[in-house]
Amino acid sequence: MDISSHDVLLVGGGGAGLRAAIAVSETNPKLKVAVVSKVYPMRSHTVSAEGGAAAVIKSNDSLDEHAYDTVSGGDWMSDQDAVEAFVKEAPEEMLRLEHWGCPWSREPDGHIAVRPFGGMKKERTWFAADKTGFHMLHTLFQTSLKYNAITRYDEFFVTKLLVDGGRVQGVVAIELMSGKIHAILAKAVILCTGGCGRVFPFTTNANIKNGDGMALAYRAGVPLKDMEFVQYHPTGLPFTGILITEAARSEGGYLLNKDGYRYLQDYNLGTPQPKPVLRSMELGPRDRLSQAFVKEMEKGRTIDTPYGPVVHLDIRHLGEKIINTKLPFVRELCLKYQNIDPIKEMIPVRPVVHYMMGGVHTDLNAATALTGLYAAGEVACVSINGANRLGSNSLTELLVFGARAGKAAAAFASETAEPGSHVVAQAMDEQRRLERQFLSKTDGRESIATIREEMQATIEKGAGIYRTGDLLAQAAQNLRRLQERFQNVAITDHSYTFNTELTAVLELAFMLDVAETIVQSALQRSESRGAHQRTDFPKRDDEKYLAHSLIYRNEDGSSRLEYLPVTITRWPPAERVYGK
């Protein structure tokens, strides 16, 4: 077993991880920083973000307006102190990225260009055509290269947090190329592993997004917060689940049912008018648009395809110049994956799991309940997104709370003793567990694919866009059975070099844990709020549920829930109104 030691260790090399690593080196250049990522950093899922990143930059906008849009869009589940910090630091982080070389799209006069995005009343979404995440990640990665104190462990998969004396002291990781087990010790650890969309069968998320970081924290005794709030994006391509960015609608795209009718005008998107303004209704909040799709499907007004019902996204009227200038990636995706040209043809779309509002419970500085452990990005829940994230807030969140996590971890590591060498014994135990449970086991009868497919079908049926207590209870029971069956899973590859089957089974174990937290949290919340819609409890209940759910893992593998009041600073709960 290889043993190495650093001051601060980042798990995840995407936007949040790289921003945090840079922040550590900026705060204290003497600290040794490790970035552990199961893929090469430029293959992190941040690279796939298309539409843009929100921050106030125009004179007709204000921090208060951005904050209110975020709070009301989150259905008053957002912690308002976190939101206020977020909107204040967002422009600073975006300008910093500009100075580091991010090629933001420009107005003809040279000023930063912004576009409208769902749930936001003002145009405040910065963008780089429709490849914003790609350019942001390039900028962060290239900036990180100038810091010699940053060491990267590319294609290393973390299986366990090392915890001793009440604080985290490093991780156990598998080097995917060789299968060798590494104990990587650190004074502070920051989780930046992204979300867990692959728990569901149809998602915009890459195959690497399995809830690894959430499960690592959960198993170490750290609570996960607001896991019941799962965002569906209304426009994913059928079959692949690839995202068609909200930018296509912000530029003027229409959503049409099978009759060619802009059906969103028939639904309450929270607008004060009886019917929304035709130009803006496609930019309603994502939860409302996804719910409207389900209603259209129930009325028989969607289009049947081999991959389920769809509606059409029509951008033909925008014209070839605008599509090629502002939406080139949308056109590329449609040509490659649907064999259609959106300049001439309509795009088939359907709701698809996109983002987790919940995650590892942190404070404003990204610190968790476990001393020395921090979390930032989609893996974390600070919480600014509440019950429904507004489009384009997440890329900015990576920067703001990635930076906060890096600064806090650097300050902690600068005053903390080196990890004790005895934690290596825990790493040895983990190595023996991997050998015994997977690599040396030959008598298992269950397959990874079967359990994964059943898990995905279970959570989609029980914890989809609309939920009921009965369906959630059945899902919880099914997941318990799948956990039992997982103990009898078998892998056929017992080699060490690039053993993708071993990685898949470990990811499945993480996903089963995360799926349980989603279902249990949803089962206990007997109200409808944002992305959590209970048809048996259709009203929002502020008296009982204006509180974050915190789910803990018990020593016997079961879970328990507690509630933490939402922080209200300036905006008391009100009717959720979009466009007012």
Side-chain angles (χ1 to χ4, degrees):
M1 174 181 289
D2 277 6
I3 303 170
S4 56
S5 183
H6 302 267
D7 296 303
V8 180
L9 186 153
L10 288 296
V11 185
L18 292 175
R19 181 64 189 95
I22 293 167
V24 173
S25 287
E26 287 178 328
T27 303
N28 185 346
K30 296 180 180 179
L31 295 177
K32 295 180 293 181
V33 184
V35 177
V36 183
S37 176
K38 67 177 176 182
V39 294
Y40 186 72
M42 281 309 305
R43 293 181 64 83
S44 300
H45 197 56
T46 306
V47 81
S48 68
E50 300 168 40
V56 172
I57 190 69
K58 299 298 184 183
S59 59
N60 67 338
D61 198 3
S62 70
L63 299 182
D64 280 359
E65 288 176 288
H66 188 185
Y68 183 79
D69 286 351
T70 300
V71 170
S72 60
D75 221 348
W76 273 267
M77 186 56 57
S78 308
D79 282 331
Q80 294 177 17
D81 54 348
V83 173
E84 290 189 79
F86 165 69
V87 301
K88 179 178 181 294
E89 295 172 22
E92 302 166 11
E93 284 295 324
M94 297 292 282
L95 287 170
R96 183 173 287 112
L97 213 63
E98 149 89 354
H99 296 157
W100 288 345
C102 189
W104 300 116
S105 292
R106 301 279 179 172
E107 303 284 5
D109 64 3
H111 285 89
I112 296 290
V114 290
R115 59 174 35 138
F117 242 63
M120 301 219 187
K121 293 187 288 293
K122 295 290 179 67
E123 295 185 358
R124 64 171 67 96
T125 297
W126 305 36
F127 61 98
D130 58 354
K131 298 182 180 180
T132 308
F134 174 88
H135 290 297
M136 287 179 65
L137 193 60
H138 267 275
T139 302
L140 290 166
F141 182 63
Q142 290 165 2
T143 302
S144 74
L145 296 178
K146 73 179 184 180
Y147 295 101
N148 294 327
I150 299 176
T151 300
R152 295 207 322 271
Y153 293 81
D154 295 342
E155 298 187 335
F156 277 66
F157 180 61
V158 174
T159 67
K160 181 181 175 63
L161 295 177
L162 296 173
V163 180
D164 188 66
R167 70 179 178 97
V168 69
Q169 300 200 25
V171 303
V172 178
I174 302 172
E175 184 181 25
L176 299 180
M177 180 178 68
S178 65
K180 194 167 188 178
I181 304 296
H182 290 249
I184 309 175
L185 309 185
K187 299 175 183 177
V189 174
I190 309 175
L191 297 174
C192 302
T193 55
C196 60
R198 300 305 301 186
V199 168
F200 288 79
F202 192 67
T203 176
T204 65
N205 289 186
N207 282 332
I208 59 174
K209 296 197 52 178
N210 305 284
D212 303 350
M214 295 176 185
L216 287 168
Y218 183 58
R219 293 177 179 183
V222 177
L224 302 186
K225 182 165 66 180
D226 292 346
M227 292 300 290
E228 62 268 42
F229 298 111
V230 179
Q231 182 170 85
Y232 280 73
H233 195 291
T235 55
L237 290 177
F239 178 58
T240 61
I242 290 171
L243 177 69
I244 297 299
T245 173
E246 201 158 294
R249 287 174 281 125
S250 77
E251 295 298 334
Y254 303 149
L255 283 172
L256 308 175
N257 65 16
K258 73 175 185 179
D259 301 318
Y261 175 67
R262 290 178 73 183
Y263 60 90
L264 291 174
Q265 60 191 293
D266 294 345
Y267 295 92
N268 175 21
L269 300 181
T271 54
Q273 304 88 356
K275 290 185 179 180
V277 179
L278 289 181
R279 171 65 183 85
S280 65
M281 63 186 174
E282 273 84 9
L283 289 180
R286 291 172 176 176
D287 57 342
R288 298 278 175 88
L289 265 62
S290 297
Q291 291 153 23
F293 174 92
V294 174
K295 297 299 184 184
E296 285 294 290
M297 181 178 65
E298 291 172 350
K299 295 172 183 174
R301 302 202 300 217
T302 54
I303 303 146
D304 290 331
T305 75
Y307 308 110
V310 301
V311 291
H312 280 135
L313 174 61
D314 190 0
I315 62 173
R316 295 173 298 176
H317 55 283
L318 300 181
E320 184 173 357
K321 182 178 179 180
I322 287 179
I323 292 172
N324 284 335
T325 302
K326 293 188 173 182
L327 303 169
F329 194 44
V330 166
R331 188 181 184 200
E332 181 182 336
L333 290 172
C334 290
L335 287 166
K336 284 185 175 180
Y337 294 99
Q338 289 294 140
N339 197 28
I340 63 170
D341 187 345
I343 291 175
K344 305 172 184 176
E345 302 165 274
M346 294 188 290
I347 308 167
V349 293
R350 56 166 285 187
V352 51
V353 167
H354 181 56
Y355 188 88
M356 297 298 301
M357 273 71 76
V360 180
H361 173 42
T362 74
D363 66 14
L364 290 181
N365 291 315
T368 75
L370 177 60
T371 302
L373 182 67
Y374 302 81
E378 192 178 353
V379 70
C381 182
V382 60
S383 145
I384 67 163
N385 297 309
N388 173 64
R389 175 177 69 84
L390 294 189
S392 73
N393 267 351
S394 61
L395 285 180
T396 322
E397 180 186 3
L398 298 178
L399 302 174
V400 171
F401 290 99
R404 280 180 165 244
K407 293 171 186 175
F412 177 82
S414 299
E415 300 174 355
T416 302
E418 295 286 342
S421 58
H422 52 279
V423 297
V424 176
Q426 289 185 35
M428 298 292 290
D429 288 341
E430 176 68 358
Q431 183 175 29
R432 285 189 286 270
R433 181 186 75 89
L434 296 174
E435 285 281 352
R436 181 181 66 255
Q437 191 172 355
F438 303 114
L439 289 169
S440 300
K441 188 174 182 178
T442 58
D443 60 346
R445 296 187 301 275
E446 296 283 356
S447 76
I448 298 170
T450 299
I451 293 179
R452 182 172 57 223
E453 288 173 7
E454 291 187 28
M455 173 199 68
Q456 291 172 335
T458 293
I459 198 165
E460 177 73 19
K461 183 178 179 181
I465 294 175
Y466 285 101
R467 304 158 175 186
T468 68
D470 289 344
L471 287 175
L472 286 164
Q474 183 61 52
Q477 189 175 15
N478 289 347
L479 288 171
R480 281 193 294 271
R481 292 196 193 104
L482 289 173
Q483 288 275 22
E484 292 169 2
R485 288 170 55 189
F486 179 80
Q487 301 307 313
N488 202 29
V489 76
I491 63 174
T492 57
D493 185 356
H494 299 282
S495 66
Y496 291 87
T497 304
F498 284 117
N499 189 334
T500 55
E501 198 175 7
L502 176 61
T503 305
V505 77
L506 293 170
E507 289 174 332
L508 176 58
F510 287 153
M511 285 192 285
L512 285 168
D513 283 354
V514 170
E516 182 190 1
T517 69
I518 294 171
V519 169
Q520 291 293 343
S521 299
L523 182 59
Q524 297 301 319
R525 184 175 289 275
S526 301
E527 67 158 356
S528 289
R529 186 189 299 267
H532 173 68
Q533 292 294 307
R534 288 280 296 265
T535 57
D536 47 350
F537 293 96
K539 300 295 184 182
R540 196 178 85 187
D541 184 354
D542 288 338
E543 185 175 338
K544 187 174 181 182
Y545 288 110
L546 191 64
H548 301 292
S549 63
L550 297 178
I551 187 165
Y552 294 79
R553 187 174 190 264
N554 297 322
E555 290 187 7
D556 63 358
S558 63
S559 60
R560 73 181 191 278
L561 255 81
E562 298 177 4
Y563 287 93
L564 178 70
V566 171
T567 301
I568 307 292
T569 59
R570 298 170 56 194
W571 299 282
E575 181 185 357
R576 184 180 171 197
V577 176
Y578 166 69
K580 199 169 185 176

